[in-house]
Amino acid sequence: MKKLLLSCLMSIIMAASVFAASMDFFSHRIVEIKLDVPVGASNNVLGVGDIFTKNLFIDLGQFADSLPNNGLNVSFRATPSVGFTIDIPNGLILGARAGVDLIGTIGTSKDFYNFFGHGYSIGDKVKLDMLCNIDAFAYTQTDFGWHLDELTFIVQPTVFASVAHVVSDKSYVSLQNTEDGKFIADVKGRVELYSDLSEDEIQNKEYNQAANYLFPGAGFDLSGTVKYDLFDFLSVTGFARIPLVPSRLNSVTVFEFEKSFELDIDTLLNNPNEGGEDNTGNSGNNSSDEETGKTYDVDYFINRPMKFTVGVDFHPFGNLMSYYGSFGLGFKHPFAENKMERGVYVDYLAGLKLSLAGIISMYLTTERTDEIYRHKAMAALSLRLIEIDVGAALESASFANSFKGTGAGIFVTGCIGF
């Protein structure tokens, strides 16, 4: 057994020496099938140390003060994909990939937490705003590129379909205690779910018909990557994704709930059976009926984020050690009819790669991608025919809290080829 292990080790070392002129022999495959499964979730306030502690102590005032101006937000992301690539050295690059992008944020405003943490004066109105924004895209992408002497370029036309778009920016809970002893509550909830299903299909629960509409309502965007080797030890890259045709969603289902509630404290103390009235004239102690979702046929257009990025790769020691980084702009829901859904954000990345002949590699990065800060460590083992990459990250929508473990991500990639 020891002789067999020794023989395998010697074979790997000999192969590494033979291909020393091309240090990426083990990591670069001419034909490759790749499965990538990155997922992550985070919030912008609570860290692992705040929850998993021997003596849990909750200071509501301190918690309210620690919240940023946009309140408490929870973000999540899953972007699994599978694809194949033909990458001929000094020649053709050809590939295809299919995947799903699921990105979402759910949040609540800061005022409500200030109320619990610091109290309020009689007559003040406390309002908790709630927001929700979730996107799910399915896409198929093709890669066409070529390696020249110092220049590599790849063009990536992509057909994508918006599977679902969920938005809620008009929901809130409002509380007020008046000087005459009345307690007033206003509740309004509105969630809009855009999908490919028509009104009749949702009413008849024909959810299996959704796939029939993905590609008739599909959109189209074009991405491109250019890499230029300025020197043997320095490369620069540029990337752009430009939306050309938006994806179309056929229907919107609106879930809506609204209620105003008034409670007279003096009346409640003297006669518990009479607490007040709601906006329908019913007793304040009764709950109202929530409307079921109503579906309407619409034409709703949506794009994947538009992006522009520039980067550098500094590798003075070949593939043994390299430093790389990038900076870019992202445009959320570009050209959306509802301007409140649009947004511009900054992406950046700085990383270090250590590699032993391309067989064992270690990556350390800090980045901000799609409004999430990440600090990631990843290890890769490649035997050319097969490669496995495994990584983990601390992440958060807040830079300061991204070091506290307010969120985590895992990254698993598998490759086979030759």
Side-chain angles (χ1 to χ4, degrees), residues 311-380:
V312 295
D313 188 337
F314 179 57
H315 38 274
F317 308 104
N319 280 358
L320 178 63
M321 178 182 294
S322 60
Y323 312 88
Y324 53 94
S326 64
F327 178 86
L329 292 177
F331 298 82
K332 187 177 181 180
H333 299 141
F335 316 118
E337 182 177 347
N338 184 357
K339 294 182 180 180
M340 296 297 294
E341 295 188 22
R342 302 180 192 175
V344 182
Y345 54 89
V346 174
D347 285 343
Y348 68 81
L349 180 145
L352 166 67
K353 175 187 175 182
L354 301 173
S355 181
L356 178 60
I359 303 173
I360 299 175
S361 302
M362 174 68 72
Y363 301 82
L364 299 174
T365 64
T366 180
E367 64 183 274
R368 186 178 193 258
T369 303
D370 293 330
E371 302 180 276
I372 298 297
Y373 296 92
R374 292 186 183 89
H375 311 289
K376 181 169 61 175
M378 185 170 68

Side-chain angles (χ1 to χ4, degrees), residues 218-294:
F220 179 79
D221 58 37
L222 185 65
S223 301
T225 301
V226 177
K227 177 183 176 184
Y228 186 75
D229 297 326
L230 285 175
F231 307 101
D232 292 339
F233 56 86
L234 181 63
S235 302
V236 295
T237 59
F239 170 81
R241 179 202 283 166
I242 301 174
L244 299 177
V245 178
S247 175
R248 184 182 73 251
L249 295 171
N250 300 318
S251 69
V252 57
T253 301
V254 180
F255 301 91
E256 197 163 16
F257 173 85
E258 186 170 2
K259 181 178 178 65
S260 295
F261 188 95
E262 185 174 303
L263 182 68
D264 192 320
I265 302 298
D266 293 333
T267 303
L268 180 62
L269 293 176
N270 296 326
N271 190 349
N273 295 323
E274 297 181 13
E277 292 186 348
D278 62 18
N279 60 348
T280 63
N282 297 324
S283 169
N285 292 324
N286 295 334
S287 61
S288 66
D289 295 329
E290 183 176 356
E291 295 185 9
T292 57
K294 294 184 177 181

